[in-house]
Amino acid sequence: MNKQIERILICLLWLLAATLGTSFWLNTVFGFNIFSAQHWQYLAYLQAAQTPVRPAFYISLTGAIVIAIVVLYILIRPKGILRRRIGIGRARTAAAAEITPPITPEPKPEPDTPIAPAARRPAAPQMRRPPRITPPAVQSFQPAAATTTPTVTPALAPAPAAANTINFDTLRDIFDRAGYSVKRSPQIGNFKPAVFAIGTSETLWMGGVGIDQAPLAAAMERLATVFSDTLDDIQINIYGFIIAPVGAVSDKNILTFPDTDALAEYMAAHKNTPPEDADGRENFDAYSEYIDTVINYMDKT
C-alpha cells in the first residue's frame, strides 16, 4: 500500500512539473499564459477568425502533452523485475496441480507359492503448486496422502553421523543435472542451505542435510517475507527438503529423503523446463538477477 501511495505522489509531482515547464516555455517563447482565461479566449477568437497562428505554438503544446503522457505512463506502469504475474500460491486445477510419479505395480505371486511379506518402496511425494504465501505461513510442495496399500512401517531417521558422509557438491550436481540453476547459498539467520537453486516459473529450492525442520522452516518463512516486502504483485514458489532429517518432520511444506539417491530419483522425475522463447529467457534472467540481490542482502543482515 505504501508503494502505491508513493507512486501516486510521484505521478502528481511529475504532472505539476510538466505543467509548470510547459507554462514557462509558452510564456517565454509565445507570451501565452496557460493559466490565464483571457489568453485562451484570445486564442479561441483567433481560431474562429481564421487568423494564422504560429505552427510552433501548436507543436510546442502538443509535444508537451505527449511528453507528459509518456512519462506518466512510465511512472504508473507495473514495476517489478518481471513483466508478468507469477503465482505462488494460486491453486491450479486438479489436473495441472498434481504430478504423480508412476508407481511400479508389485508382481503377483505364482500359484501355490507362499506369499512372503515384501517391503515396498515408499511412494514419492506428489508435486503440488503451493497456495499463496501469506507470511508467516510458507507454502511449498505438499506430500501426497498415503495410498491404500498394506501398511509399511517407516524406517527410523538416520543418525546425524550418517548425514556427515554426504557430499554437498553431489547435492548441487543433482539439481544441476535436473536443469536448475544452482546459486551460492546465503546465510539466512543461523541457517545456511546445503543447496540453493532456482528454476523457471519462479521456483526456488532450498534444503539441508541431517537437520531438524525448525531452521529450514524459519529460513523459508523469512525469505517469503522478503519477497512479499520487495516485490509488487510478483510471487515466488519456495520448495524445501531435508535429507536424513534429525527427528520427526511434521511440517507438510518440507519434503524428506533418506539419502541422496532418493533425492536424485525424485529430481530426475521433476526436471526443470528451460525457457522456450526469448521472452521467457528474459524473464528468467531478470528473476536470476533478483535472487542474486536477495542472496547478497541476506548475507549482510
Side-chain angles (χ1 to χ4, degrees):
M1 180 61 69
N2 292 336
K3 293 183 180 180
Q4 298 297 335
I5 294 176
E6 291 177 2
R7 187 176 297 173
I8 293 174
L9 293 178
I10 291 176
C11 292
L12 292 177
L13 181 61
W14 161 247
L15 290 177
L16 178 61
T19 302
L20 294 178
T22 303
S23 175
F24 175 79
W25 172 259
L26 296 180
N27 198 12
T28 302
V29 178
F30 305 102
F32 184 84
N33 185 3
I34 62 175
F35 300 106
S36 174
Q38 290 81 3
H39 285 202
W40 286 106
Q41 291 176 356
Y42 180 69
L43 177 62
Y45 171 78
L46 293 179
Q47 292 176 339
Q50 296 184 353
T51 302
V53 180
R54 292 173 59 184
F57 172 80
Y58 294 112
I59 295 175
S60 298
L61 184 60
T62 303
I65 295 174
V66 171
I67 293 175
I69 294 176
V70 170
V71 176
L72 185 63
Y73 169 75
I74 295 175
L75 292 176
I76 66 177
R77 67 181 299 185
K79 289 190 176 181
I81 61 167
L82 308 177
R83 295 179 299 173
R84 58 188 177 87
R85 290 177 59 90
I86 303 154
I88 189 169
R90 277 201 200 276
R92 310 286 186 183
T93 60
E98 299 182 357
I99 304 176
T100 307
I103 301 176
T104 304
E106 298 180 359
K108 295 182 179 180
E110 295 295 334
D112 302 329
T113 301
I115 300 177
R120 181 180 60 85
R121 177 181 295 178
Q126 294 179 348
M127 183 182 297
R128 185 187 299 276
R129 274 290 191 191
R132 177 179 180 82
I133 287 183
T134 304
V138 179
Q139 300 299 331
S140 175
F141 283 116
Q142 183 170 346
T147 57
T148 56
T149 54
T151 304
V152 178
T153 304
L156 296 177
N164 296 332
T165 62
I166 297 178
N167 190 330
F168 286 7
D169 290 336
T170 302
L171 299 181
R172 300 183 183 97
D173 289 341
I174 290 174
F175 282 86
D176 186 64
R177 291 195 301 268
Y180 291 89
S181 176
V182 179
K183 296 287 187 178
R184 176 175 59 85
S185 296
Q187 185 69 37
I188 309 175
N190 60 351
F191 174 70
K192 188 169 186 177
V195 176
F196 200 81
I198 63 172
T200 53
S201 299
E202 286 59 59
T203 58
L204 188 152
W205 278 89
M206 58 184 297
V209 178
I211 61 172
D212 185 73
Q213 66 174 351
L216 177 58
M220 294 171 65
E221 178 181 333
R222 185 173 181 185
L223 278 179
T225 302
V226 172
F227 294 153
S228 176
D229 292 342
T230 57
L231 295 178
D232 292 336
D233 298 328
I234 296 174
Q235 300 158 340
I236 295 177
N237 294 311
I238 305 176
Y239 307 130
F241 71 92
I242 300 177
I243 296 179
V246 175
V249 177
S250 58
D251 192 334
K252 296 182 179 180
N253 299 320
I254 299 177
L255 300 179
T256 60
F257 300 94
D259 49 36
T260 54
D261 292 338
L263 174 64
E265 181 180 353
Y266 182 85
M267 298 310 301
H270 301 87
K271 292 185 177 180
N272 180 55
T273 303
E276 298 179 353
D277 51 23
D279 186 65
R281 287 190 295 271
E282 182 179 354
N283 282 333
F284 181 76
D285 291 341
Y287 169 56
S288 178
E289 292 177 4
Y290 170 75
I291 293 298
D292 289 338
T293 303
V294 172
I295 291 174
N296 293 332
Y297 169 77
M298 299 306 295
D299 284 339
K300 296 178 182 178
T301 56

